[in-house]
């Protein structure tokens, strides 16, 4: 699902929202989440998951082409951990889809 798909879904679900309002709502939410992560905060959405920032220390890597050592600087990267409800829903839906596939392939 892309950002524009999300906007379409929101606008379709709530008739009182115009396409522009739905787009603004999605942009506002994503901007707020991005700003919170930049400030080092953790975001928790119950039933969905949590976003946090992980610290990766500096290390020495290798250039795969030449084999030469390369210094990789430290960095902070966003990390998503799905919540229990989301993990279970995905697992259940996957099992249902696989069962359907098995039935139709016979």
């Amino acid at each position: 699902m892309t950002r524009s798909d999300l906007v379409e879904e929101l606008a379709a679900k709530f008739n009182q929202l115009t396409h522009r309002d739905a787009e603004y709502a999605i942009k506002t939410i994503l901007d707020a989440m991005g700003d919170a992560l930049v400030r080092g905060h953790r975001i928790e959405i119950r039933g969905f998951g949590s976003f946090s920032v992980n610290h990766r220390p500096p290390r020495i890597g290798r250039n795969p082409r030449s084999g030469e050592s390369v210094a990789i600087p430290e960095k902070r990267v966003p990390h998503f951990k799905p919540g229990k409800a989301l993990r279970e829903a995905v697992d259940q839906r996957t099992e249902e889809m696989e069962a359907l596939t098995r039935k139709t392939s016979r």
Side-chain angles (χ1 to χ4, degrees):
M1 176 175 265
T2 64
R3 184 179 186 148
S4 58
D5 292 339
L6 193 56
V7 169
E8 293 294 330
E9 187 86 18
L10 187 63
K13 194 162 197 154
F14 297 98
N15 293 331
Q16 67 271 24
L17 283 180
T18 65
H19 188 272
R20 181 174 286 170
D21 290 340
E23 193 171 349
Y24 182 73
I26 296 297
K27 181 183 180 332
T28 302
I29 290 169
L30 294 177
D31 287 349
M33 291 173 72
D35 290 344
L37 290 172
V38 166
R39 289 191 308 263
H41 295 141
R42 182 173 181 273
I43 302 166
E44 182 177 332
I45 302 171
R46 305 254 175 187
F48 183 72
S50 62
F51 297 86
S52 60
V53 178
N54 283 354
H55 176 261
R56 290 191 183 163
R59 60 190 174 92
I60 300 297
R62 295 235 178 258
N63 179 333
R65 184 171 284 183
S66 65
E68 179 183 338
S69 293
V70 178
I72 300 173
E74 70 176 335
K75 61 176 92 174
R76 287 168 175 70
V77 293
H79 175 75
F80 174 70
K81 181 178 178 185
K84 181 180 177 185
L86 179 61
R87 284 193 319 266
E88 289 174 352
V90 168
D91 185 45
Q92 179 182 2
R93 185 75 174 131
T94 304
E95 288 175 4
E96 291 171 2
M97 296 293 285
E98 288 173 354
L100 260 174
T101 304
R102 283 191 295 264
K103 284 182 182 178
T104 58
S105 64
R106 288 181 183 182

